[in-house]
Amino acid sequence: MLEAASGTFTQHRIELHVVGIIPEPLLSRLRLRFPWVVFRGFVDDLGEEFRNARIALVPEEIGGGFKLKILDYIFSRVPVAAVEAALGGIPKQLKSHFIVENSVSKLLASVAAMMDDVDALDRRQSLAFEVADGLFNWDANGRRLLDKLECALGARPIKKSSQIWAAPSPAHRSA
């Protein structure tokens, strides 16, 4: 991805920040080869990184599965740009508010083309946030799950209680 981004991002003066630990000597080799990339390493405040980011890039072409970092980006109000292969499990109505391409090179070109359209990026992140807020609302999802369980059991409604689990009494504890 860095090799593919090198020409496009440097030509458009796009600064790429890579956040997370990269072991030595790989980090030194990457810094020499890609001096235009800012390797941040471990950061104490990931929220600060999100606040300073214009786009969150998800270029993984392999791996599959739902990526929780995509929710981190959405709920941190950062527009998402991803290759289609990285979006396994993400609902279509949410993906429609991302920048999505089927290859890294196309994704990088789309990012470069949209980078300065801040209004369009803000609309994308705002709409993605609204959709995700409804889809990933754990209170609403929990109520839906309980309703489905009640229907499946065909029994009286489950008694609502604030106590979900009780610790065993001291006489039953083992040492």
Side-chain angles (χ1 to χ4, degrees):
M1 197 283 305
L2 294 178
E3 187 67 47
S6 200
T8 302
F9 280 17
T10 56
Q11 177 185 355
H12 293 280
R13 296 183 183 155
I14 297 172
E15 189 173 84
L16 177 67
H17 287 226
V18 176
V19 177
I21 297 171
I22 300 174
E24 286 292 351
L26 176 59
L27 178 60
S28 294
R29 287 193 310 264
L30 289 173
R31 281 188 168 137
L32 284 172
R33 191 166 173 195
F34 306 103
W36 60 274
V37 177
V38 178
F39 293 96
R40 302 279 291 135
F42 175 83
V43 296
D44 289 323
D45 185 2
L46 197 51
E48 174 87 13
E49 297 298 320
F50 291 151
R51 285 187 292 281
N52 292 323
R54 187 156 314 161
I55 298 174
L57 192 58
V58 186
E60 291 97 355
E61 292 181 295
I62 59 172
F66 189 92
K67 293 175 178 38
L68 288 175
K69 67 181 166 185
I70 291 174
L71 292 182
D72 288 336
Y73 300 148
I74 293 167
F75 288 114
S76 296
R77 302 293 199 141
V78 182
V80 176
V83 291
E84 181 68 42
L87 300 175
I90 300 292
K92 288 179 187 176
Q93 67 266 39
L94 186 54
K95 283 195 281 190
S96 69
H97 303 297
F98 298 169
I99 300 166
V100 181
E101 296 292 350
N102 59 10
S103 71
V104 169
S105 59
K106 288 181 183 177
L107 180 66
L108 297 172
S110 291
V111 166
M114 291 199 67
M115 192 67 169
D116 291 327
D117 193 346
V118 176
D119 291 337
L121 292 172
D122 283 348
R123 278 191 304 279
R124 284 181 180 272
Q125 69 82 15
S126 190
L127 291 167
F129 180 88
E130 287 176 25
V131 171
D133 195 38
L135 289 171
F136 298 98
N137 181 313
W138 302 120
D139 290 336
N141 288 336
R143 283 191 296 279
R144 282 195 290 271
L145 175 61
L146 281 176
D147 290 345
K148 296 288 184 190
L149 289 173
E150 287 174 356
C151 289
L153 292 173
R156 300 183 309 263
I158 298 171
K159 182 181 174 187
K160 309 274 193 279
S161 171
S162 61
Q163 183 175 351
I164 295 174
W165 177 81
S169 65
H172 294 96
R173 290 189 185 163
S174 54

